[in-house]
Amino acid sequence: QFDVRPRFFMCGGLVFQPLSHEYLQGWSSSERPPHLQNLFLRGHLTPERTEAVMISTILADEANAGYDSGWVGAPVVQAVNGQTIRNMSHLIEVVAAERAKAAATGEESFLAFDVLMSSGPFRLVLPLAGLDDANARVCSLYGLPSECRSHHYVLEAEAAAQTTA
């Protein structure tokens, strides 16, 4: 996948990317995060998980206050609000569904990202209230597309919308 921009999805300042050989090649062999190297070498694909998704960085915003910003150890996403994540497209779908459910009910809701770090399991929680504003701030400040995702996923969403129309 050389000469191709990396795929990403951003939500509340959390930047998600699929684990790839190219990502690991960006590190010297002695500096690669061991949990990612081990996951990649022992095989990270299963029928239930067709792509490992990690948080590659956190872009600071009030929505993610309390979590470090910048590189945070590349934790691998296991689940969102209890739903096991199969791949990056599935993560985007789950986040969209949880946001729609919260908007429909009007109840205070959160996105809980269960991740696996080199130090063990961890949970990152973002409030859904104000997430649209947070995404707009982060996209504007850091120069991300307003869709908060790479062009790959914008085209995928457009194709899905045409299929259902």
Side-chain angles (χ1 to χ4, degrees):
Q1 294 188 8
F2 296 105
D3 295 331
V4 176
R5 291 180 184 246
R7 296 181 296 147
F8 73 90
F9 169 65
M10 189 279 299
C11 179
L14 307 181
V15 179
F16 301 89
Q17 285 185 261
L19 175 59
S20 66
H21 182 357
E22 291 79 15
Y23 180 84
L24 289 174
Q25 290 301 312
W27 301 82
S28 71
S29 59
S30 63
E31 294 179 340
R32 286 183 193 139
H35 70 292
L36 295 181
Q37 181 73 19
N38 292 338
L39 179 62
F40 195 80
L41 290 176
R42 76 170 191 258
H44 60 285
L45 304 181
T46 66
E48 297 80 31
R49 180 170 60 192
T50 59
E51 181 176 64
V53 178
M54 63 183 173
I55 299 174
S56 59
T57 193
I58 297 180
L59 303 174
D61 185 75
E62 63 189 59
N64 60 49
Y67 300 113
D68 288 336
S69 61
W71 191 76
V72 291
V76 177
V77 179
Q78 303 296 304
V80 176
N81 287 7
Q83 295 183 59
T84 301
I85 298 302
R86 295 187 303 265
N87 54 43
M88 183 77 109
S89 295
H90 184 236
L91 170 74
I92 295 169
E93 290 171 18
V94 169
V95 168
E98 291 294 322
R99 293 180 73 183
K101 185 168 63 174
T105 64
E107 295 177 11
E108 184 178 5
S109 299
F110 298 88
L111 287 172
F113 298 91
D114 293 319
V115 300
L116 186 59
M117 302 179 73
S118 58
S119 59
F122 188 73
R123 177 175 281 174
L124 293 102
V125 179
L126 297 178
L128 284 168
L131 197 56
D132 288 336
D133 292 338
N135 285 345
R137 282 190 307 270
V138 171
C139 287
S140 175
L141 183 62
Y142 294 96
L144 298 177
S146 60
E147 298 89 1
C148 299
R149 61 190 79 182
S150 59
H151 192 62
H152 309 86
Y153 299 112
V154 173
L155 294 176
E156 192 175 280
E158 290 172 354
Q162 289 177 356
T163 304
T164 58

